[in-house]
Amino acid sequence: MKAEGPAGQQYSPGDRCWYLGQGGGNGGGEKWLASGHTLREGPREFPDQLDVECGRKRARQAPSESIVQGKAGGRETVQEAVTSVPPDIKAPSALAKEVQLACWLLVESVWWLIGFGKHEREYSDGGRPPQGRKKGCSSFPGNSGKRSPHYEHGGGEPQPSHLQEDDGNVVKRDVQEDPEVRHSPCTIPGNERTVGWHSEGHMHMTVWGNRKPLEREMRENTQDGTPGSWFRVTIPYGVKYDRTWLMNSIQRHCSVPFTPVDFHFMHTGAEFFVQEASTASALMDVSNKICDEESRKIPVFVSPSAAPYSVQDKLKPEEMEQLKLTLSKRFDVSQQALDLRRLRVDPGLLGHDIDIILNQRSCMAATLQIIKKNFPELLSLNLSSNKLYQLDGLSDIIQMAPTVKILNLSKNKLKYLWELRKIKGLKLEELWLQGNPLCGTFPDQSTYVRAIREYFPKLLRLDGQELPSPVTVEVDTPYEVKPCKGSYFGSDKLKRQVLQFLQQFYLIHDYGDRQCLVGAYHHRAYFSLTIPFHPEDPAPSSLCEYFKDSRNMKKLSDPYLRVQLLKHTNRVIVHTLCVLPKTQHDLSSFVVDTWSQTETMLCFSVSGVFKEVEGSSQDCVRAFTRTFITTPASYSSLCIVNDELFVRDASPSETQSVFSIPAPTPTSSSMHTLSQEQQDIMQASSIPPEVNL
Amino acid sequence: MAMPMDFKTYVDQACKAAEEFVNIYYETMDKRRRVLTRLYLDKATLIWNGNVVTGLEALANFFDTLPSSEFQVNMLDCQPVHEQATQAQTTVLVVTSGTVKFDGNRQRYFNQSFLLTAQSTPNNTVWKIASDCFRFQDWASS
């Protein structure tokens, strides 16, 4: 078996090389080589990868922080089944866990070593989503087999890094000049103190569960010898889990409460920082205590590290103050909106020599801090045109500004929609993403919308456009029933007319001879009466007086009876009315809906309460709804052509309120039959309505 | 005035129309709310607890905003409307009462009245709502 280097070098078993695995399918893809190891053909754990056993003669030679003392007994050399990050984030079980972790960390650190010069002070992995789920895909995210994933900007081929075997913990590299690489080739940003592999050839990773070396590491770390040293906590494959769940689970299992700082995703893992060795130790104990949904134990690894960026680069108080002033100028209190477009070049900052690069963790953290303190009810945040290519820093917004519902991330450098995952906890209603590289990666608008909806299902507007309501419309149906109003008349004229009619009608109905009402009906009018029918309770209660005339078709199916009970002609109607119990209506309880009007017809419904004033149900309070259809008659009065009366028992509250306002009691004289003349007078007079409507 | 048919038939026809219509109306309201406006005339008016809604578009919007419903009718009555009022347009007055539960709200008693007008075609008669009046019995309490 031969392995080919990026420059076409041929390596055979026994050659010294450092082979990190093969990308994308058999025989293809690229390989990373660094000197210091021996290529060996090993058993293939994964179809598309080669295992390489690396031999190392000297323990101190370890080129990365992740090499672990091998398990194979009897071997001097450090054995390492090096694979690239497993294609499936679900940890393959074949290899020993420690070795898998080692491989993973090895890869991570190599990427770190080689690629990220331009992303100083940022944790990002270039914003690439983990591609673990793709079958057969190399777990070099973004590795299409063509170019180096590290040199995103179309840079050159990867160069072999010749890691120098050194006493010290400094790694030297020959790196072909890449304009993107800004940092000195001799240092690893922020990582100088991470690598403790100068001690006994143990990588710090071997201190899992073994506290002592960790403390020893600490003592040997002279740079941050102050108490409150920092530790990096790593959860491999942490990207699988919901951040909130993960952190809560860790907190639950940790004997010491802690504050995670600078949480971020790094390829497939999740990382954050804590202070204090005691915290770090407590966190180490959490390893393999938490089980995920698939009942797999979640390892947690801790190592000493430099202070996190947001701490290292923390803004000075005067800088914070100036930043606060600058932000306040950009805040619109009426809209609860903060406009942070092109924040870096704000004169308020430049003028004070403050460089706020929102891609940098410390700057984003400072901004969020100010938001939390000064704009706690922030609704709208505009981060357009800030060259953002990752949202790790913004992920803290869920704790710092959870009220944000409108977010503008347009015209940034976001390449992967996956970044939205980091702010998934926000309950966004409006989002702007246009002008980011990721927008071009969708075949059509609906795919784009659908993908975004995965992260924000309640989103209403995207890139300025209202979104069509999602399929799950049932979930979004309204709960608000429109508020109820009182009487509706349509016009004052109608109101007067209707009220006058009702007053006269009930005056006669209650206090006069109902026979006199014959003049109010058209001679071929219709009348019917109903009471409710409750299937559970078929026996009518005290409505028996009405029962015999009730024409409730829900109960009455006999067509003959249905005809019989429809009273026809005014004489028949009035005769029926005279037989019904004597009543006293409470006009103040009336509510009237005038619901149909033409030149020849006025239709209205009245609801209210009345009292029975004699007979077996004396003092019983009833409620009613009566629908009148009328036509205009002489003297601007109304002539009834249809009358439908529905009577039911009054509810307790209706009973209580009845007659609370004293009803106008007519004098005893009006109890007698009104003469036709008197009726006419009543009809024509404009009695001011006393109905409280 | 003479009736085109005898009284009994006239009333029967009205009753049948009313019964059928009411079944369809509440079923549509409950289960196919989106097509409910098909049961209304173009210029139909609804007074819903004192709120006026006029025209199909307004009705469509209104029914959209109503939460999903479960109606139970326990009273039904109908009367043919006198032609003096309707100018010879065959019209039936339908009155219903019962309970309704709107999603997210408690169950309430309601009263409703319709004016149905007949639109006759050679094959059949289609009844549509010209006016509609709906009110909760306890409209004054929330």
Side-chain angles (χ1 to χ4, degrees):
Chain A
M1 176 219 78
K2 284 196 185 303
E4 193 180 274
Q9 310 94 316
Q10 295 293 317
Y11 293 88
S12 306
D15 288 351
R16 279 163 70 84
C17 71
W18 182 14
Y19 181 71
L20 284 178
Q22 186 176 350
N26 297 321
E30 56 181 349
K31 308 159 191 92
W32 291 78
L33 297 172
S35 67
H37 300 266
T38 308
L39 180 65
R40 183 189 88 104
E41 183 170 5
R44 285 189 172 213
E45 292 295 339
F46 309 106
D48 295 330
Q49 288 161 343
L50 293 174
D51 295 334
V52 169
E53 180 179 312
C54 305
R56 221 178 327 117
K57 302 273 162 62
R58 297 186 310 188
R60 290 196 175 187
Q61 200 176 329
S64 87
E65 59 193 38
S66 62
I67 296 178
V68 164
Q69 197 112 64
K71 294 193 78 164
R75 282 201 162 161
E76 281 183 352
T77 56
V78 174
Q79 206 168 68
E80 187 182 66
V82 183
T83 65
S84 41
V85 178
D88 189 342
I89 299 179
K90 292 184 188 181
S93 50
L95 296 177
K97 268 197 194 146
E98 293 85 351
V99 179
Q100 288 169 32
L101 173 72
C103 304
W104 174 80
L105 283 167
L106 173 71
V107 168
E108 298 284 346
S109 50
V110 169
W111 279 321
W112 181 256
L113 291 173
I114 293 176
F116 298 109
K118 76 173 286 296
H119 306 310
E120 279 180 37
R121 323 313 290 174
E122 294 146 12
Y123 298 110
S124 169
D125 53 6
R128 248 167 277 108
Q131 293 192 1
R133 298 195 199 280
K134 285 199 199 150
K135 190 166 151 4
C137 157
S138 157
S139 44
F140 280 83
N143 184 352
S144 59
K146 275 187 287 191
R147 41 160 71 218
S148 155
H150 301 294
Y151 301 102
E152 303 169 44
H153 299 268
E157 298 288 350
Q159 302 306 310
S161 333
H162 300 282
L163 297 176
Q164 203 133 50
E165 287 112 59
D166 220 12
D167 271 354
N169 51 356
V170 169
V171 171
K172 282 206 194 138
R173 298 191 292 134
D174 290 344
V175 180
Q176 186 171 35
E177 269 312 299
D178 180 19
E180 305 291 355
V181 178
R182 277 193 259 130
H183 72 279
S184 142
C186 293
T187 59
I188 307 159
N191 244 352
E192 289 88 332
R193 294 171 289 286
T194 313
V195 184
W197 23 273
H198 49 279
S199 51
E200 301 143 7
H202 276 128
M203 292 308 101
H204 61 268
M205 293 325 301
T206 59
V207 299
W208 319 318
N210 181 358
R211 231 157 279 171
K212 201 150 167 275
L214 183 69
E215 280 154 21
R216 203 181 320 149
E217 303 285 1
M218 266 190 58
R219 269 182 266 121
E220 286 167 359
N221 275 344
T222 47
Q223 284 90 341
D224 266 2
T226 53
S229 294
W230 286 91
F231 296 86
R232 181 198 302 255
V233 181
T234 306
I235 299 102
Y237 316 118
V239 79
K240 280 204 285 179
Y241 307 114
D242 173 66
R243 170 182 169 171
T244 314
W245 173 84
L246 182 65
M247 294 313 293
N248 287 346
S249 304
I250 295 176
Q251 294 268 16
R252 263 201 311 273
H253 285 86
C254 184
S255 55
V256 173
F258 65 92
T259 310
V261 176
D262 282 8
F263 182 101
H264 63 279
F265 292 115
M266 176 64 79
H267 300 294
T268 56
E271 292 184 352
F272 60 92
F273 295 85
V274 292
Q275 270 189 303
E276 302 290 340
S278 50
T279 314
S281 300
L283 281 170
M284 273 201 284
D285 286 338
V286 175
S287 182
N288 290 328
K289 295 265 166 52
I290 307 169
C291 278
D292 68 14
E293 278 175 356
E294 289 142 15
S295 303
R296 255 189 267 264
K297 297 201 183 144
I298 299 176
V300 175
F301 298 96
V302 184
S303 60
S305 83
Y309 288 142
S310 66
V311 170
Q312 276 193 45
D313 304 332
K314 199 166 169 166
L315 267 62
K316 301 199 263 283
E318 55 272 17
E319 289 175 324
M320 281 297 274
E321 187 56 38
Q322 187 56 34
L323 179 61
K324 185 183 104 177
L325 285 173
T326 309
L327 294 188
S328 301
K329 292 208 180 93
R330 288 162 165 263
F331 178 65
D332 177 348
V333 68
S334 64
Q335 309 270 359
Q336 284 292 325
L338 184 59
D339 183 352
L340 296 184
R341 280 179 295 179
R342 287 186 292 279
L343 182 64
R344 190 177 182 183
V345 299
D346 189 298
L349 298 171
L350 292 183
H352 287 80
D353 223 7
I354 303 173
D355 199 8
I356 298 293
I357 301 173
L358 285 175
N359 269 313
Q360 291 186 0
R361 194 67 184 238
S362 54
C363 296
M364 183 63 86
T367 307
L368 289 176
Q369 223 175 306
I370 291 174
I371 291 175
K372 179 173 179 179
K373 193 146 171 248
N374 299 92
F375 318 116
E377 279 160 39
L378 189 65
L379 189 61
S380 166
L381 181 60
N382 190 340
L383 289 166
S384 175
S385 306
N386 278 300
K387 300 195 179 162
L388 294 176
Y389 67 88
Q390 46 81 12
L391 298 179
D392 277 294
L394 194 57
S395 67
D396 289 332
I397 195 176
I398 298 163
Q399 280 89 38
M400 304 298 260
T403 49
V404 168
K405 291 207 158 22
I406 300 169
L407 183 63
N408 189 333
L409 292 170
S410 65
K411 301 199 190 130
N412 278 300
K413 305 253 182 249
L414 297 169
K415 276 192 168 179
Y416 301 97
L417 196 64
W418 184 79
E419 286 297 323
L420 292 184
R421 195 213 159 148
K422 298 169 186 176
I423 52 169
K424 200 174 163 185
L426 275 184
K427 299 187 174 67
L428 288 186
E429 287 178 359
E430 181 175 321
L431 178 64
W432 295 76
L433 278 178
Q434 63 198 21
N436 279 290
L438 69 88
C439 298
T441 62
F442 289 90
D444 55 55
Q445 182 70 7
S446 64
T447 317
Y448 175 57
V449 171
R450 220 177 312 129
I452 289 169
R453 273 216 158 112
E454 297 277 310
Y455 296 100
F456 303 108
K458 300 237 162 90
L459 199 65
L460 299 176
R461 290 175 293 283
L462 177 62
D463 291 335
Q465 290 199 324
E466 295 274 333
L467 289 182
S469 46
V471 177
T472 55
V473 72
E474 290 76 39
V475 181
D476 289 350
T477 44
Y479 288 117
E480 292 295 315
V481 166
K482 216 166 171 153
C484 302
K485 297 184 189 159
S487 296
Y488 175 75
F489 290 100
S491 75
D492 280 342
K493 178 167 173 260
L494 277 177
K495 180 174 176 179
R496 274 197 301 275
Q497 199 172 21
V498 169
L499 290 181
Q500 191 174 42
F501 167 86
L502 288 173
Q503 181 155 33
Q504 288 160 7
F505 183 91
Y506 283 104
L507 196 60
I508 300 172
H509 185 278
D510 289 348
Y511 304 106
D513 183 353
R514 286 179 188 168
Q515 280 291 343
C516 300
L517 288 173
V518 74
Y521 287 87
H522 189 281
H523 74 274
R524 298 204 79 90
Y526 294 101
F527 170 80
S528 58
L529 156 71
T530 52
I531 58 174
F533 168 60
H534 300 288
E536 331 81 56
D537 174 29
S541 51
S542 57
L543 290 169
C544 40
E545 290 294 319
Y546 302 92
F547 176 67
K548 61 182 180 347
D549 281 312
S550 173
R551 192 175 171 255
N552 187 347
M553 285 161 53
K554 277 286 172 184
K555 191 174 192 298
L556 187 75
S557 45
D558 181 348
Y560 175 75
L561 275 176
R562 286 180 175 184
V563 174
Q564 286 297 99
L565 289 171
L566 179 61
K567 310 297 176 186
H568 187 47
T569 76
N570 53 353
R571 299 211 171 272
V572 172
I573 291 170
V574 166
H575 180 257
T576 312
L577 292 180
C578 287
V579 171
L580 289 176
K582 215 156 161 47
T583 60
Q584 207 173 65
H585 284 72
D586 179 6
L587 269 64
S588 65
S589 71
F590 283 10
V591 70
V592 181
D593 286 318
T594 312
W595 51 282
S596 185
Q597 188 208 351
T598 67
E599 281 168 357
T600 54
M601 176 180 76
L602 182 62
C603 176
F604 51 94
S605 296
V606 190
S607 300
V609 293
F610 65 85
K611 203 159 61 169
E612 289 194 23
V613 294
E614 68 178 21
S616 52
S617 304
Q618 186 164 10
D619 293 333
C620 255
V621 179
R622 317 280 188 202
F624 75 95
T625 301
R626 195 159 191 161
T627 300
F628 291 100
I629 301 182
T630 64
T631 56
S634 56
Y635 306 110
S636 72
S637 63
L638 299 170
C639 173
I640 307 169
V641 291
N642 288 83
D643 178 1
E644 203 279 344
L645 173 62
F646 169 68
V647 181
R648 60 177 172 88
D649 280 318
S651 69
S653 59
E654 285 167 326
T655 311
Q656 271 176 350
S657 64
V658 79
F659 298 113
S660 49
I661 304 168
T665 357
T667 60
S668 51
S669 62
S670 64
M671 297 298 276
H672 301 312
T673 307
L674 292 173
S675 69
Q676 185 64 36
E677 187 189 351
Q678 279 174 312
Q679 284 180 56
D680 284 344
I681 291 167
M682 282 197 67
Q683 259 189 337
S685 67
S686 46
I687 302 169
E690 289 177 16
V691 178
N692 185 17
L693 292 163
Chain B
M1 60 205 78
M3 302 225 198
M5 59 184 98
D6 73 6
F7 181 67
K8 184 172 181 310
T9 317
Y10 194 54
V11 173
D12 270 351
Q13 183 197 51
C15 288
K16 274 202 187 61
E19 265 181 317
E20 242 178 67
F21 180 84
V22 161
N23 287 338
I24 293 170
Y25 180 84
Y26 291 107
E27 171 135 358
T28 308
M29 169 76 91
D30 285 350
K31 298 190 183 144
R32 297 174 68 212
R33 179 77 64 78
R34 303 237 150 146
V35 300
L36 187 61
T37 50
R38 290 197 203 160
L39 300 176
Y40 288 78
L41 287 180
D42 280 351
K43 298 219 175 83
T45 308
L46 162 67
I47 314 283
W48 196 91
N49 282 303
N51 293 288
V52 194
V53 187
T54 311
L56 277 187
E57 205 178 311
L59 283 167
N61 288 339
F62 176 77
F63 289 130
D64 240 358
T65 61
L66 270 187
S68 63
S69 57
E70 263 178 62
F71 273 90
Q72 168 91 30
V73 178
N74 57 33
M75 184 282 276
L76 167 64
D77 192 8
C78 70
Q79 297 176 5
V81 179
H82 199 279
E83 57 188 26
Q84 176 138 9
T86 65
Q87 294 172 300
Q89 172 86 15
T90 310
T91 307
V92 173
L93 169 68
V94 179
V95 181
T96 62
S97 175
T99 59
V100 61
K101 182 162 188 327
F102 287 108
D103 199 13
N105 293 263
R106 62 182 169 83
Q107 190 180 64
R108 300 173 86 155
Y109 286 98
F110 73 91
N111 287 97
Q112 190 160 16
S113 315
F114 305 92
L115 278 179
L116 299 186
T117 59
Q119 324 243 274
S120 289
T121 67
N123 291 336
N124 61 356
T125 306
V126 175
W127 295 88
K128 290 218 179 192
I129 304 171
S131 300
D132 181 355
C133 179
F134 178 97
R135 203 175 260 280
F136 292 133
Q137 286 178 5
D138 62 347
W139 64 273
S141 56
S142 60

